[in-house]
């Protein structure tokens, strides 16, 4: 085997280029992002032959000092970070110090730059295996110009993979579009083979931004898209959502920007797709442009050399927050279209200022600018905020809540209070970190009142509605024997069909016992979550057992003994079909009665018996899930003012 040796500079740079420089569009992306980092207000992208012959990028940014030109073309040389701490909170688009060196190693690159206070410009070229840089004076205006000629001329394998001029230029166009939307305050000009193809002027107001959106995403999108925004703590999400009716065959109108960086992030795309699920046909795509601003240390951009993907510190939270926000926005869109007064006067730049994010302000008042988009503006509220707030670490139960919870022995007196006063609709204080009180209740301090949610009733109600729709059941791992008080009821075999129809499979086991083989499988909606919340089997069994201690009202003689559950009667066998259809209805009717009875037994289960840790956790998880889904807990809550609660507890201060 050969001895070990160091690779020459050009080769190491070419290896690095393999990751960063996939095609001409990736060169454009890297170079344009350098312009943005240099504070450019205007960027010109000049392309020849789809980028294979020439990519020239010209900016009016702060330029590069003459003495740094050589370094700029060296790998791992950057002006953007100095330490690991900088890396953890990087604000610039670049930071790896790799792009120029990599591009230079697979093309003929010329870097020309002039800083505002310099007498003249300078240009640099890297050549040979060592990539030795030659710096010479050059005529230049303030800013930087980089020319990349003959991309991949020295890496034939790569060059072979270049597609047609048209395809490569389409990719470049897409890149410039994304950068233009990501940096609305910067003007872009895109030329191909000497002709101006696109011009995106700088957006200095909300209206300008909408104009830009029209240029990038098309008139159709800008006319029907719904503008939304939500600021919470240091997280700000805003943008435009295409209405579900305007779905597309391609996903080309999907833009996500995080802290000014265009990304194609799977997590965020999934969240958005999930929000649109059920609103657009399968295989079709929604359109959107979404701007997320968050503290730099909340998001890691150093995941991949191309920086398309990011990693959030709390991915689940940002995902869920986004889902809720978009769902709220989409489901409210119809009424909002009618309600033009709703937040339509809030301008983009006002919101930007509030959230401390990029501002498009040019100093003009924009109080009516939002109107131009038919008033379709939405300010994210309600549960999406709660989802985010409550899923953040360290959210502790309020003192009030704690104090009240300690008085739990007095609850029985308290619950008789008929004070069903109205609950503050805008409450934001659904405290999910709080554990179940008496394994059943949540105590929610609101602004003036305290709400008490009966989570158990809420769950049963939810389950009942699902049970009515779906009686699928699942076998028990170990069948359970239950005692029957009135065994004569079970002499009628039709009764087993009734149970079966309700999802409970029983078989006779001696004179006074039945064997429980299957119980209902009650799942949360599988399309919205992978989590399932079936009622634990022990609850079913306890309720069943107490039911079996009674006379079953539906076991009377009128119940036909030949009943069998027939879901699809054969249309040709007329009389038999009629008979079995009637029987089937009868069974269904009885099964519904049975369900009601079982629910009653479940409801009356004595919750003073301490449920197992798993049970408690399960109900708590269920409630959390419901809240995250935006379900309404208010029908299962009653509220009481703090003072009246304290007086009932004999603790008036
Ligand atoms: N258009 C530009 N204007 C000013 N400086 C630039 C420009 N392009 C590159 N530079 C300088 O060259 C350095 C190296 O660029 P690059 O290789 O893209 O690495 P990075 O952007 O990761 O720092 C940058 O850190 C920056 O200082
Ligand atoms: Mg860079």
């Amino acid at each position: 085997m050969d001895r070990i040796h160091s690779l020459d500079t050009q080769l190491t740079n070419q290896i690095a280029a393999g990751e960063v420089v996939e095609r001409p569009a990736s060169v454009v992306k890297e170079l344009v992002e350098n312009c943005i980092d240099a504070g450019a207000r205007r960027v010109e992208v000049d392309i020849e032959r789809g980028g294979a012959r020439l990519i020239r990028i010209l900016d009016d940014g702060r330029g590069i000092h003459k003495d740094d030109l050589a370094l700029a073309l060296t790998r791992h040389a950057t002006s953007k970070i100095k330490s690991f701490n900088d890396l953890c909170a990087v604000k610039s688009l670049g930071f790896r110090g790799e792009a120029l060196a990599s591009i230079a190693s697979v093309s003929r690159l010329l870097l020309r730059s002039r800083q505002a206070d310099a007498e003249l410009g300078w240009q640099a070229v890297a050549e040979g295996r060592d990539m030795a840089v030659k710096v010479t004076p050059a005529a230049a205006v303030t800013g930087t110009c980089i020319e990349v000629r003959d991309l991949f001329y020295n890496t034939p394998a790569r060059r072979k993979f270049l597609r047609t001029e048209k395809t490569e230029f389409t990719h470049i166009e897409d890149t410039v579009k994304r950068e233009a939307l990501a940096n609305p305050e910067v003007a872009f000009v895109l030329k191909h083979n000497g002709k101006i193809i696109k011009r995106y002027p700088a957006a200095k107001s909300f209206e300008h931004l909408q104009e830009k959106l029209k240029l990038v995403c098309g008139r159709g999108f800008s006319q029907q898209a719904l503008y939304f925004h939500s600021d919470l703590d240091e997280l700000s999400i805003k943008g435009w959502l295409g209405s579900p009716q305007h779905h597309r065959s391609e996903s080309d109108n999907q833009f996500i920007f995080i802290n000014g960086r265009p990304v194609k992030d799977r997590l965020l795309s999934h969240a958005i797709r999930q929000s649109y699920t059920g609103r657009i046909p399968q295989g079709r795509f929604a359109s959107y442009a979404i701007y997320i601003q968050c503290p730099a240390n909340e998001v890691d951009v150093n995941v991949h050399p191309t920086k398309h993907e990011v990693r959030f510190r709390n991915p689940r939270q940002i995902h869920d927050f986004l889902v809720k926000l978009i769902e709220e926005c989409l489901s409210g869109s119809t009424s909002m279209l009618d309600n033009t007064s709703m937040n339509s006067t809030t301008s983009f730049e006002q919101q930007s200022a509030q959230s401390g994010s990029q501002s498009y302000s040019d100093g003009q008042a924009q109080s009516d600018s939002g109107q131009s988009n038919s008033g379709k503006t939405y300010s994210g509220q309600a549960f999406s905020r709660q989802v985010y707030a409550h899923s953040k670490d360290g959210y502790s139960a309020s003192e009030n809540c704690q104090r009240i919870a300690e008085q739990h022995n007095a609850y029985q007196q308290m619950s008789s209070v008929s004070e069903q006063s109205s609950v503050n609709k805008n409450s934001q204080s659904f405290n999910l970190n709080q554990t179940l009180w008496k394994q059943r209740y949540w105590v929610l301090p609101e602004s003036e009142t305290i709400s008490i949610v009966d989570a158990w009733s809420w769950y049963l109600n939810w389950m009942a509605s699902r049970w009515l729709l779906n009686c699928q059941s699942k076998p028990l791992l170990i069948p359970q024997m239950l005692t029957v008080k009135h065994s004569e009821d079970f002499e009628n075999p039709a009764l087993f069909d009734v149970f079966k129809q309700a999802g409970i499979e029983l078989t006779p086991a001696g004179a006074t016992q039945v064997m429980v083989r299957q119980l209902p499988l009650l799942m949360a909606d599988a399309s919205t979550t992978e989590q399932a919340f079936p009622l634990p089997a022990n609850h079913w069994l306890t309720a069943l057992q107490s039911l079996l201690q009674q006379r079953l009202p539906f076991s009377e003689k009128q119940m036909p003994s030949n009943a069998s559950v027939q879901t699809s009667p054969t249309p040709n066998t007329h009389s038999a079909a009629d008979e079995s259809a009637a029987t089937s209805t009868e069974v269904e009717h009885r099964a519904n009665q049975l369900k009601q009875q079982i629910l009653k037994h479940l409801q009356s289960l004595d919750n003073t018996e301490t449920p197992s840790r798993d049970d408690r956790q399960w109900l708590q998880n269920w409630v959390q899930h419901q809240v995250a889904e935006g379900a309404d807990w208010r029908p299962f809550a009653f509220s009481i003012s703090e003072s009246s609660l304290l007086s009932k507890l004999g603790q008036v201060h």
Side-chain angles (χ1 to χ4, degrees), residues 311-576:
R311 196 178 290 134
F312 286 97
R313 209 164 67 169
N314 294 310
R316 189 78 224 165
Q317 281 137 32
I318 194 100
H319 177 276
D320 293 355
F321 182 60
L322 195 58
V323 169
K324 289 314 306 167
L325 185 62
I326 297 177
E327 278 182 352
E328 276 172 17
C329 187
L330 292 178
S331 55
S333 59
T334 332
S335 59
M336 274 181 296
L337 294 182
D338 302 329
N339 181 5
T340 43
S341 68
M342 185 168 175
N343 269 312
S344 57
T345 53
T346 318
S347 77
F348 195 77
E349 72 191 56
Q350 284 165 337
Q351 293 142 20
S352 300
Q354 278 163 19
S355 64
S357 60
Q358 266 175 318
S359 171
Y360 308 109
S361 170
D362 61 353
Q364 293 165 17
Q366 295 293 332
S367 61
D368 60 353
S369 55
Q371 301 276 18
S372 57
N373 196 19
S374 352
K376 290 180 283 183
T377 308
Y378 177 64
S379 166
Q381 298 288 344
F383 277 115
S384 55
R385 285 154 180 267
Q386 292 168 19
V387 170
Y388 186 73
H390 295 294
S391 52
K392 282 186 102 177
D393 293 340
Y395 190 94
S396 65
S398 81
E399 280 176 20
N400 249 354
C401 185
Q402 208 68 46
R403 196 169 74 216
I404 304 306
E406 280 161 15
Q407 310 295 331
H408 67 271
N409 286 337
Y411 177 72
Q412 297 310 335
Q413 308 147 31
M414 199 174 82
S415 59
S416 63
V417 178
S418 60
E419 203 171 333
Q420 195 79 26
S421 63
S422 68
V423 179
N424 176 9
K425 281 260 173 203
N426 296 321
S427 159
Q428 302 224 346
S429 47
F430 198 115
N431 190 344
L432 291 176
N433 286 350
Q434 197 194 334
T435 49
L436 270 175
W437 174 29
K438 297 205 91 185
Q439 290 79 52
R440 173 171 184 157
Y441 302 96
W442 267 267
V443 181
L444 316 171
E446 305 200 69
S447 55
E448 304 279 300
T449 57
I450 290 154
S451 287
I452 292 159
V453 181
D454 186 341
W456 176 246
S457 303
W458 183 16
Y459 172 76
L460 288 181
N461 196 283
W462 173 87
M463 187 183 70
S465 60
R466 266 168 182 69
W467 198 9
L468 288 175
L469 292 174
N470 177 7
C471 290
Q472 263 188 307
S473 58
K474 107 178 157 199
L476 287 177
L477 208 56
I478 304 167
Q480 297 286 319
M481 201 75 93
L482 295 183
T483 308
V484 177
K485 178 103 179 272
H486 302 277
S487 52
E488 64 275 21
D489 287 354
F490 285 88
E491 279 166 16
N492 183 351
L495 202 65
F496 292 97
D497 286 337
V498 173
F499 275 89
K500 198 165 177 194
Q501 172 79 0
I504 300 167
E505 197 173 320
L506 302 179
T507 51
T512 58
Q513 287 191 309
V514 287
M515 181 84 89
V516 188
R517 297 190 173 276
Q518 298 220 65
L519 285 174
L521 169 85
L522 286 162
M523 312 267 291
D525 185 359
S527 65
T528 56
T529 173
E530 283 101 55
Q531 276 176 298
F533 297 99
L535 183 70
N538 59 332
H539 287 272
W540 285 114
L541 292 168
T542 320
L544 258 180
Q545 181 59 79
S546 49
L547 180 79
L548 296 177
Q549 295 306 308
Q550 299 174 2
R551 205 67 237 253
L552 299 176
F554 43 85
S555 65
E556 304 296 328
K557 298 256 165 16
Q558 68 265 40
M559 186 77 200
S561 63
N562 62 342
S564 66
V565 183
Q566 180 109 19
T567 44
S568 53
T570 331
N572 289 341
T573 52
H574 247 306
S575 58

Side-chain angles (χ1 to χ4, degrees), residues 31 34-35 37-38 59 63-64 72 77-80 94-101 144 146:
L31 300 185
N34 278 345
C35 307
D37 283 343
D59 73 50
I64 305 171
T78 180
S79 56
K80 300 172 191 175
F95 55 86
R96 302 172 66 101
E98 270 185 345
L100 291 188
T144 303
I146 300 189

Side-chain angles (χ1 to χ4, degrees), residues 73 104 107 109 124-128 131-134:
L73 297 180
S107 69
L109 183 143
V125 185
E127 282 169 338
M131 305 269 304
V133 182
K134 217 164 77 193

